Amino acid sequence: MGAQILIVDDSSTDRMVIGNMLADFEILTACDGIEALQVIETHPDLDLVILDLHMPNMDGFQLLEKLKAGKTPVKTPFLILTNYDELDKEIRGLKLGAEDYIRKPVNLESLRVRVETHLELNRMQRLVEERLKKSTTLLQTILEQSPIGISLSFSKDPFRPGEDLPPIINPALEKITGRTREDLLGLGWARITHPDDVEKNLEYYAALQAGEIKSYSMEKRYIRPDGSVVWVDMTVAGLRLGDAGGNGHISLMQDITARKTAEIALRESERSKSVLLSNLPGMAYRCRYDRDWTMEFVSDGCRELTGYGPDSLVGNRDLSFNELIAPEYREELWRKWERFLPEKRPIHEEYEITAASGVRKWVLEIGQGVYDHDGNVEALEGIIIDISSRREYERQLQFMGEHDILTGLYNRAFLEKILARDAGEADRTVVLVDLNRLNALSLSYGYTFSEEIVREAAARLLALATDERKLFQISPERMAFYLKNSTDAGEAARLCDSIISALSGIQLIHAAGCGIGILRLDETCRDGDAILQNASIAAEYAARKGAFQVCPFEKELEERAKREKDIKEELLETLGNEGSRDIYAEFQPIVDLWTGRIKGFEALARMRSPRLGPVSPLEFIPLSEELQLVVPLGRRITGLVCDFLEEVRRAGHDDVYVSVNVSAIELVRDRFLDDFFGLLEEKETAPSRICLEVTESLLADNFDLINRKLGELQKRGVSVAMDDFGTGYSSLFRARELNVNYLKIDRHFIDKLVHLPPEAAITGDIISMGHRLGRLVVAEGVELEEQKRYLERHRCDLMQGYLFSRPVSPEAALELLGETNPAEPQPERGV
C-alpha cells in the first residue's frame, strides 16, 4: 500500500487537482479543519498532510493549534499552502509545527518533489526510530536478565548521579545492594560503600577519571539498608561519550558474599584451632596404640594439665602417660579402646590422673583412631581436658539435689528416692516432726526469725540420727526420720521421747508449735509422696492436740484429711465465684438485759456445699486460714452484713449494729483498713453500725500493731469487741490499754454459773472489772434463765445465746427484730 496523504482545502477544484497529481498515493480529503481533525483521529498513521491555511469553520492555524494542544502529540508532517504575500503566516504555520510550505498558485511538479522529499524523510526517521527501539530493547534485555550487577554512570562525582544523562542501573545491582534505583541515585555509590573500603575505591576512581588507568578491579563491601554487608567482585572501566555525555564509567559487579563468608570462616577456623591448642585447659596428643600410650606429639597445654613439659612425655623420655593415669582406671581405659577401635568409634572417657605435684585431677579424654588403607590402627589422636572444676560443680549439684540448703539435712527428693529404692521391704518407719505455726511466725516476725528456729531444731535432731535412722528436711516446717530395720515396736516411741526432749529445750520452739506423726511402713507402701503425705497428716493432727503431742497414722486420719481436702476445694471454688451462695451468714441477736430489746447481731459465717452438705465453721474457717482465704472470706461476710444492715435500716432500725469476727491474718495486712472502709463506702454502710470482734489470742503475738489498728477503727466510727475475754493472761494484764468498746465474757464462765454456787463464781468480778474499765460487757452462751438472772444481778449489759435465739437467717432475724423492736419503716436510699 502507498503512503497516505490527507489534502485539506475548502476548494474542491484544488483538492481534485492536487489529488490527481498524487494519484499514485492513497489520498484522503477534507474541506475544512473540523473534517480534517476527524480524519486525523481515525487515521493516526498518516504519512503527510497538505493543509490550506484559509478555510471556513476551522482554518489551518486553528487545526495546528488544536493538534499541538492535544494530549497525544501528532507525528505526521504538515505541508501548508500559502499565498505569495503571506510571509508572516508562513512563519506562524512553521512555529505551530508545520514541516514546510508551498505558495499558491501551486506548481504541481514542485509540490510533488516536496511531497516525495518529506515522505522519504518521514520514512527514514521511522526506520531510525525502529532501529533505535530494537537497540534499546536489546540493551534493556541484557540489563534486565544479566546475573551480574551493571551500572553506567555519567558523573564524575561518586556521591551524586549525573545531571545530563541519567545513570543506568540494572535489577541485579538493586538486588545485590538491597536498594532501589531511586535510593542508589539519591545516595551515590560512595555513601553505601563499607567505610573500610571507601578510601581504596576512591583512589582507584580518581586514577580512572584522571586517565592514569583505563580500568580497575577490586573486592569491596556494600552496606544494605538493614545494616548487613554484601561482598562484590567489581570491575570498573571508563566510559567516554565525547560531547554527548562527558566522562563516565561502567561498573560490573558479582555477589561473592558466600565465597568471602566461607573464606572468613576458614580463616577463623584455622585461627580458632591455633588459639584452642594454645589455650586448651589440657592437651592435644598423638600417641601409639600400646600399653604405655607412647606420645608422638603433645601440645603445650601438657605442662598446665600434668605439671610435666611436652618433652618429658614424647617418646616416654621421662615417664609414660600411662604412669600418669590413676591405677584404678588404667585397665578399664585400655579395655574401652579395645572395644571401640575395631568399630572405628570415638572414645569419651572420664578418669583421674596424678599430676607432678601429686594432686589428682579429673580429665575428659576425647579421642579416635587413625587408620591406614587396610584399616589397621596407625595411632591415636585426641584431646585431654581438665574437668576437675566441672566434677566438683557436679558434686556440689548432687549435694544440693540431695540436701536442704538451710539446714544441710537430706531433702525430700532424696528421701523419696530412698523410699522408692526400699519399696517392698518391711520393718520401716517414718517419724515426722511438724513445726505447725512456723508460717504464722514468719508472717509476724520475718523469715530470719523462723529460719533460726529451724536451724537450731535441725542441729538438735541431727544428734539423734544414725546410719539406720537418717534425718531429712522435707519442707521448711517439717523434718522426718526414716528408720530402717525397725523391728522393735517401741523404737519409734522412744525416738519421739528423745525428739520432745531435744526440742523442748529450745525456748522459741514453743512459739512454733510441734506435732509428731508416726507412720509404720509395710511391703505394700511404695509411693513416697503418699508416705510423706500420710505422715504429715498424723503430725498435723498431733499438733492440733497441743504442743509436743504424738499421733500414729490411722486410716481414719486419711479419711478426715480427704474431707478437709474436699472442703478446701469447695472453698477455693466458692470464694473464687462472686455469684456463689455456698458461703452465707446467719445472725444471732445481742439483747439488752434491761430493756429486752435487740441491740445488735453477731454475723456468723456458714457454709453449705452441694457436694458435702452443711460444713461446720469449726471445719472450714481454720482451713480457710490455712489456704490464706480468710481475707476473701471476711470480705464476703462483711458484704453480706452490709446488705443485711440496709434491710434493717429500711425496716426502721437505724440504732441496731452487727458485729463481724476478724482474723489476725486480716488485721495484720497493710491494706486492711483501706479495703475495709472501701467496702463500707461501696455498700453505703455507716461505720457506726459495724462492730469488729477480735479474740484475746489474736493480740498475744501482735498486741501493739493490732491495738493501733483497732484505735484507728474506733476513730472512724467502728466499734470493737474483745471476744472470749478472761481466758488469756494478756487481755487481763493489758485490758486498760485495749482499744475496744465491748468485752464479751467467754461462755466458759457462763457455763460455770450452773455448777458453782453464786459466791464461788468470778463472772460477776469480770463484769465489774469491765465496767470499771469503761467497757460494755456482753455475756455469750446464755442458755438458761438461771444464768440470765445472775447476769442481771451483777448488772451485765448485754447477752447473747440460745435462751433468746439461735443464729438465724437474715429474713428470720428481721422478723425477730420487728417483733422485739417495733419501728417505722424507712424509705429506699435516694428516694
Side-chain angles (χ1 to χ4, degrees), residues 373-388:
H373 293 295
D374 297 326
N376 299 315
V377 178
E378 289 185 343
L380 308 177
E381 291 182 346
I383 57 175
I384 300 174
I385 303 171
D386 186 349
I387 60 168
S388 300

Side-chain angles (χ1 to χ4, degrees), residues 49 71 75 88-89 101 122 216 245 288 294 336 389 409 440 480 525 534 555 559 594 638 653 679 687 706 721 750-751:
V49 177
K71 292 183 179 180
K75 297 181 179 180
D88 57 334
K89 292 183 179 180
Y101 61 88
N122 192 29
Y216 65 90
R288 299 173 198 163
T294 302
K336 193 161 189 177
S389 297
L409 300 179
C525 297
N534 290 338
K555 197 65 178 176
E559 294 172 358
W594 304 103
T638 304
H653 303 284
L679 179 59
I706 292 178
I750 305 302
D751 292 340

Side-chain angles (χ1 to χ4, degrees), residues 634-778:
R635 181 176 176 84
R636 176 75 61 86
I637 298 302
T638 304
L640 293 174
V641 165
C642 292
D643 295 338
F644 174 68
L645 280 170
E646 174 59 16
E647 295 297 324
V648 171
R649 187 197 67 81
R650 292 177 189 170
H653 303 284
D654 279 339
D655 57 342
V656 174
Y657 71 90
V658 176
S659 64
V660 185
N661 290 280
V662 61
S663 73
I665 296 176
E666 291 179 278
L667 263 178
V668 298
R669 286 194 314 120
D670 292 338
R671 289 194 52 81
F672 170 73
L673 294 176
D674 292 338
D675 292 345
F676 175 72
F677 285 108
L679 179 59
L680 296 190
E681 184 177 352
E682 176 187 331
K683 293 286 189 176
E684 299 183 15
T685 301
S688 61
R689 304 192 63 202
I690 295 287
C691 176
L692 291 185
E693 291 194 16
V694 297
T695 62
E696 182 276 330
S697 59
L698 185 151
L699 287 159
D701 297 328
N702 301 278
F703 183 88
D704 292 332
L705 171 65
I706 292 178
N707 198 41
R708 186 167 61 251
K709 288 193 175 184
L710 297 181
E712 181 64 27
L713 287 164
Q714 288 181 319
K715 289 178 184 178
R716 298 172 70 171
V718 176
S719 299
V720 180
M722 169 62 68
D723 200 10
D724 301 334
F725 181 72
T727 60
Y729 167 76
S730 63
S731 61
L732 291 170
F733 181 70
R734 309 187 72 172
R736 190 174 300 277
E737 303 174 40
L738 289 172
N739 292 316
V740 298
N741 305 86
Y742 301 91
L743 298 178
K744 299 188 75 172
I745 303 176
D746 185 79
R747 67 175 301 148
H748 169 80
F749 296 103
I750 305 302
D751 292 340
K752 292 288 185 181
L753 298 179
V754 180
H755 307 291
L756 296 174
E759 63 276 8
I762 65 169
T763 307
D765 297 325
I766 296 175
I767 296 171
S768 176
M769 183 180 70
H771 287 161
R772 284 197 299 273
L773 294 173
R775 300 336 190 249
L776 294 174
V777 181
V778 184

Side-chain angles (χ1 to χ4, degrees), residues 115-168:
V115 168
E116 290 177 348
T117 299
H118 283 289
L119 288 175
E120 181 63 16
L121 289 172
N122 192 29
R123 186 184 70 80
M124 293 297 292
Q125 181 177 353
R126 288 184 178 180
L127 183 60
V128 171
E129 290 176 352
E130 183 66 24
R131 289 180 177 175
L132 180 60
K133 182 178 179 181
K134 289 182 179 179
S135 298
T136 303
T137 301
L138 177 61
L139 177 60
Q140 188 65 32
T141 301
I142 293 173
L143 292 172
E144 291 286 340
Q145 299 183 8
S146 174
I148 65 174
I150 302 173
S151 71
L152 284 78
S153 176
F154 309 104
S155 171
K156 293 182 179 181
D157 190 344
F159 296 95
R160 295 190 184 87
E163 298 179 358
D164 299 325
L165 293 175
I168 296 173

Side-chain angles (χ1 to χ4, degrees), residues 574-599:
T574 298
L575 293 175
N577 179 6
E578 289 291 337
S580 172
R581 296 188 177 182
D582 293 350
I583 295 291
Y584 60 98
E586 289 186 339
F587 299 87
Q588 186 173 32
I590 300 172
V591 182
D592 189 318
L593 275 165
W594 304 103
T595 65
R597 292 172 64 87
I598 295 175
K599 297 292 289 184

Side-chain angles (χ1 to χ4, degrees), residues 255-399:
D255 188 344
I256 59 170
T257 303
R259 192 196 81 197
K260 294 296 289 187
T261 301
E263 290 176 356
I264 293 170
L266 180 60
R267 288 197 301 269
E268 181 62 23
S269 176
E270 294 297 328
R271 186 194 66 80
S272 297
K273 289 179 183 177
S274 176
V275 171
L276 178 62
L277 290 176
S278 300
N279 297 280
L280 192 70
M283 69 180 194
Y285 70 87
R286 179 185 175 96
C287 73
R288 299 173 198 163
Y289 180 39
D290 59 26
R291 282 282 188 170
D292 287 327
W293 311 111
T294 302
M295 293 293 168
E296 297 177 350
F297 164 79
V298 178
S299 69
D300 292 339
C302 173
R303 189 180 304 277
E304 182 177 354
L305 178 67
T306 69
Y308 298 98
D311 293 342
S312 296
L313 292 177
V314 173
N316 302 332
R317 191 189 76 176
D318 296 326
L319 74 168
S320 69
F321 185 76
N322 192 58
E323 293 177 74
L324 294 178
I325 301 172
E328 63 267 31
Y329 299 100
R330 292 173 185 170
E331 191 62 30
E332 176 60 29
L333 182 62
W334 176 260
R335 286 199 298 267
K336 193 161 189 177
W337 275 110
E338 278 189 321
R339 292 197 309 271
F340 280 34
L341 284 173
E343 301 173 7
K344 296 185 177 180
R345 292 166 56 190
I347 188 172
H348 292 71
E349 187 69 8
E350 296 182 6
Y351 55 87
E352 287 182 282
I353 65 171
T354 303
S357 62
V359 174
R360 279 200 171 198
K361 293 184 178 181
W362 275 97
V363 297
L364 167 64
E365 180 176 356
I366 304 173
Q368 61 186 15
V370 179
Y371 305 87
D372 61 18
H373 293 295
D374 297 326
N376 299 315
V377 178
E378 289 185 343
L380 308 177
E381 291 182 346
I383 57 175
I384 300 174
I385 303 171
D386 186 349
I387 60 168
S388 300
S389 297
R390 193 203 79 191
R391 292 286 294 207
E392 175 60 22
Y393 180 64
E394 289 174 350
R395 189 195 65 77
Q396 292 176 2
L397 284 180
Q398 182 179 2
F399 182 87

